[in-house]
Amino acid sequence: MWPPWPCHCACAVRGATELLQQEVGPAGLVTLPGPITLTAAVPLGTQTVGNGGTLGYTNNFGSTNLKYMTNVDYTWTLANHVAGRELFATNTLAVNFNTNPAISFNYSTNDSSALGSGLESLFTTVVHELIHGMGFINYINPATGSFDGFPTVYDTFIVQDTNSPVSYTGLTDADRLVAITNNNLFWNGPLGVAGNGGVRPKLTAPSPFSAS
C-alpha cells in the first residue's frame, strides 16, 4: 500500500533523480526535465512494479550542438537538452508505480539498503523508468526488425560483434531481427567505452526477445 506521497515516496523519487543527475549531468549527456509526471495510483497487475517512458519523440529540429544528428528520433527530454532551448514546455516523460496490494515497496533513498523480504525498491524502479524516459528503450518491431520511424539517437551507438563491429542501424531489418536475440550487441559510445576500461560494454540481447 502507498503511504502519503509527500512523506515517503517523494524522498525516494528525489534520491533517484539526484543520482541520475550526478551520473549523467557532469558528462553533459542529458539534463533531467522538470516537471516529470509521477502517477501514484496506477494498478499494473501483480507482475509489474512500474513503467515509464517519454511522452513523445521528435527529429530534425535543428541545433548547433555538435552532438546533434539529423534523421534520428529524440525523446522530448533529450531534444530539449540537445537543442539548448525548450522545444517542449509541457511534461516530457511519465513514470507510473503499481498500487496493486500484491506489490510492496521499500522507500529507501538509495540502493544500498537491504530491501526486506517481499519488498521492491521504489528508488531503483524510479531510476529504471526515468532511463526509459530519456530514450533507452526498444525502438524496433520485434516481428520484422524494422525501426518505428527513424532509429533513436542511442541506437546509433550500438554495434554487433565487438571484434568486427557492424553498426546496428546499418543492418538490414532481417539481420537486425537476428541481432536482438543473438547476445552479441555492444555499446560503442566513447564515454561508455572509456568508463568500461576501454572495452565496449555488452548489451543484453537474450533469446527469447525481451524489451524491458
Side-chain angles (χ1 to χ4, degrees):
M1 299 295 293
W2 284 90
W5 171 261
C7 181
H8 293 85
C9 305
C11 292
V13 170
R14 187 179 304 112
T17 56
E18 288 175 353
L19 173 69
L20 284 178
Q21 289 283 23
Q22 175 184 323
E23 293 297 322
V24 303
L29 298 180
V30 69
T31 300
L32 287 176
I36 300 169
T37 298
L38 297 168
T39 304
V42 180
L44 299 172
T46 60
Q47 302 299 315
T48 302
V49 295
N51 60 32
T54 182
L55 295 181
Y57 292 89
T58 190
N59 54 65
N60 295 330
F61 47 84
S63 175
T64 58
N65 190 317
L66 296 179
K67 296 179 181 179
Y68 169 71
M69 299 180 187
T70 59
N71 298 330
V72 298
D73 278 350
Y74 290 83
T75 64
W76 287 355
T77 301
L78 192 56
N80 281 349
H81 177 77
V82 172
R85 61 189 189 278
E86 197 170 57
L87 299 173
F88 303 94
T90 59
N91 293 346
T92 59
L93 61 88
V95 177
N96 303 313
F97 308 108
N98 198 347
T99 58
N100 190 300
I103 304 296
S104 297
F105 284 102
N106 173 293
Y107 299 99
S108 171
T109 57
N110 58 63
D111 62 352
S112 61
S113 301
L115 286 179
S117 177
L119 296 179
E120 301 288 347
S121 169
L122 181 62
F123 177 89
T124 56
T125 299
V126 174
V127 170
H128 180 100
E129 302 306 341
L130 286 178
I131 289 173
H132 280 320
M134 289 191 293
F136 286 95
I137 60 167
N138 170 61
Y139 207 58
I140 69 169
N141 186 321
T144 65
S146 63
F147 288 107
D148 294 330
F150 290 122
T152 72
V153 64
Y154 293 125
D155 288 320
T156 66
F157 292 99
I158 300 175
V159 295
Q160 178 177 249
D161 189 355
T162 190
N163 295 315
S164 301
V166 177
S167 170
Y168 179 69
T169 57
L171 296 173
T172 65
D173 290 351
D175 287 342
R176 195 177 301 111
L177 188 60
V178 173
I180 61 175
T181 57
N182 69 2
N183 212 24
N184 194 31
L185 293 177
F186 297 83
W187 182 258
N188 199 39
L191 293 178
V193 174
N196 197 43
V199 178
R200 294 183 182 92
K202 190 170 186 178
L203 304 178
T204 301
S207 181
F209 173 76
S210 173
S212 62

